[in-house]
Amino acid sequence: MTSHQTTQTMKPATAAKKLGVYLEATPAEFQEGVVSRTELNALQTDPPEWLVELRRTGPHPRPVVAAKLGISISGLARGGVTEALTTEQIDALKQEQPEWLQKERATQAEVRKETARIKEKNAERADEPRGPQA
């Protein structure tokens, strides 16, 4: 008996998310088709020019914008950024340093510090010797 393996496919939105690109900026043939796991792997290992350019100049999806600005996606929303931004727009925001961006970066720094503190505390707790088991 031979096993028949079906090709695993995904919607373009899922593939765009995995590639870290804004779906609406991808070529029409990418948006309208389905992407197989093999095609996704090929796009990741040997990206075509449109993908390289999109990653370099954008527009970028909100998770990428947030990461480039060093803030959370929620912080973007609080700052009024709801659309995809280009690299040029992101660089302009970094230059301008609006008050909301400074505040969100400070908030993100506090979150990271607290996360590190909790991780360290949990590691210490895991290293503590335990009493005899009954």
Side-chain angles (χ1 to χ4, degrees):
M1 182 159 60
T2 60
S3 63
H4 179 66
Q5 197 169 12
T6 58
T7 304
Q8 190 179 19
T9 61
M10 62 194 84
K11 295 178 183 175
T14 304
K17 191 174 189 177
K18 289 179 181 287
L19 292 169
V21 295
Y22 186 57
L23 177 63
E24 284 75 14
T26 61
E29 60 269 12
F30 181 85
Q31 293 180 36
E32 294 163 1
V34 293
V35 181
S36 71
R37 176 67 62 188
T38 306
E39 290 169 330
L40 179 70
N41 291 340
L43 287 169
Q44 289 173 324
T45 55
D46 188 23
E49 186 55 40
W50 66 263
L51 182 55
V52 171
E53 187 63 24
L54 209 62
R55 286 177 169 167
R56 185 176 338 137
T57 61
H60 302 287
R62 289 183 315 144
V64 174
V65 173
K68 286 180 179 268
L69 291 173
I71 62 175
S72 67
I73 295 173
S74 300
L76 275 180
R78 286 189 294 270
V81 178
T82 56
E83 298 297 316
L85 298 179
T86 63
T87 300
E88 192 175 301
Q89 292 169 313
I90 293 168
D91 291 343
L93 276 173
K94 287 178 179 179
Q95 292 284 159
E96 293 167 15
Q97 284 290 314
E99 189 178 322
W100 70 265
L101 181 56
Q102 293 174 31
K103 182 180 173 194
E104 291 302 333
R105 281 183 161 175
T107 300
Q108 193 67 16
E110 286 299 316
V111 168
R112 286 188 189 111
K113 203 172 5 176
E114 180 64 9
T115 302
R117 185 191 68 78
I118 290 170
K119 187 176 178 181
E120 190 176 305
K121 186 176 181 179
N122 288 342
E124 287 173 7
R125 211 181 282 153
D127 289 343
E128 290 176 4
R130 303 207 182 229
Q133 297 286 329

